[in-house]
Amino acid sequence: MFSNDKNIETVSELLRDAYDYTELRLKQLRLDFVSKLSTLFSALLLSVVLMVIVAVVLLFLAYTVALVLAPHVGGLHVACALIALFLALVGVVLYVFRQPLIVRPLTGFVAELFLGNGEADDAAAAGTASADDAASNKEGGSL
């Protein structure tokens, strides 16, 4: 059955195609991983930059509130202590509620990024865009 040259050629072509498919699939997986990793790192960098900005703003705001409170509470040192106590209380509340406020959203973001069905989302977005383009072309508008 396999002695026929055409059969051997067909099997050989099939094996080449399977090898090419495997190589292309691995390349696609690597590109997808790099894309998702770069999205994760850019989100991380943006978060760090925003945290630094918020920390600086909070520092200046706390100092301003301490200066405003100083005449009313008996001096700058008492006002600074009250501000520190308030910020420590906010820190304790954030620590107590860290699971729903920090851990779960972060876990959900990373899980959606790496395990989410990105291909279906891309296809849906492309389908929506082409449907919108078709609707605007029917109305006489062009992009």
Side-chain angles (χ1 to χ4, degrees), residues 47-65 83 87:
S47 298
V48 167
V49 168
L50 288 177
M51 279 193 261
V52 168
I53 290 172
V54 167
V56 170
V57 168
L58 185 64
L59 177 71
F60 283 116
L61 186 63
Y63 185 68
T64 302
V65 170
I83 298 297
L87 291 178

Side-chain angles (χ1 to χ4, degrees), residues 63-79:
Y63 185 68
T64 302
V65 170
L67 286 177
V68 170
L69 283 178
H72 303 291
V73 294
L76 187 59
H77 61 285
V78 176

Side-chain angles (χ1 to χ4, degrees), residues 6 11 15 21 30 38 41 43 49 55 97 104-105 108 113 118 121 139:
K6 186 176 181 182
V11 169
L15 289 175
Y21 174 78
R30 280 183 266 162
S38 66
F41 282 144
V49 168
F97 293 108
R104 286 188 194 135
L113 183 65
D121 295 341
E139 296 170 2

